[in-house]
Amino acid sequence: MTSIQAAEAEAGQPPALTIDALGKKCPIPIIMLAEQINYVPRNAIVSVLADDPAAFTDVPAWCRLKSHHHVASYELPDGGWAIHVRRNY
């Protein structure tokens, strides 16, 4: 089982949307997430792929600020993370 498959199993559902922010510096991953999170249904998972170390802490902080749920962050095999966010509203 890959780390992404394990993440999907833990979240209980596959991501409804994957945002590829690999190679982009913060705050671009957060801007991309903020622009696209409303395109998925409530309670859906958005996976943000990012390799900027700031995203690892900034995306969960953004979730707390905006009242969305940071499900978990999973290491990607080639570096970076898949940061899973559940849309709350």
Side-chain angles (χ1 to χ4, degrees), residues 16-35:
L17 174 67
T18 298
I19 298 170
D20 185 352
L22 293 168
K24 301 201 176 3
K25 299 291 182 194
C26 264
I28 299 302
I30 292 170
I31 292 169
M32 293 172 75
L33 174 60
E35 288 176 345

Side-chain angles (χ1 to χ4, degrees), residues 26-57:
C26 264
I28 299 302
I30 292 170
I31 292 169
M32 293 172 75
L33 174 60
E35 288 176 345
Q36 297 180 46
I37 196 165
N38 290 327
Y39 292 113
V40 301
R42 281 183 49 226
N43 296 315
I45 301 290
V46 177
S47 179
V48 180
L49 307 181
D51 52 8
D52 180 3
F56 185 78
T57 56

Side-chain angles (χ1 to χ4, degrees), residues 2 4 8 11 14-15 18 27 39-40 43-44 60 65 70 72 78:
T2 68
I4 298 298
E8 290 175 9
T18 298
Y39 292 113
V40 301
N43 296 315
L65 181 69
H70 170 238
D78 294 330

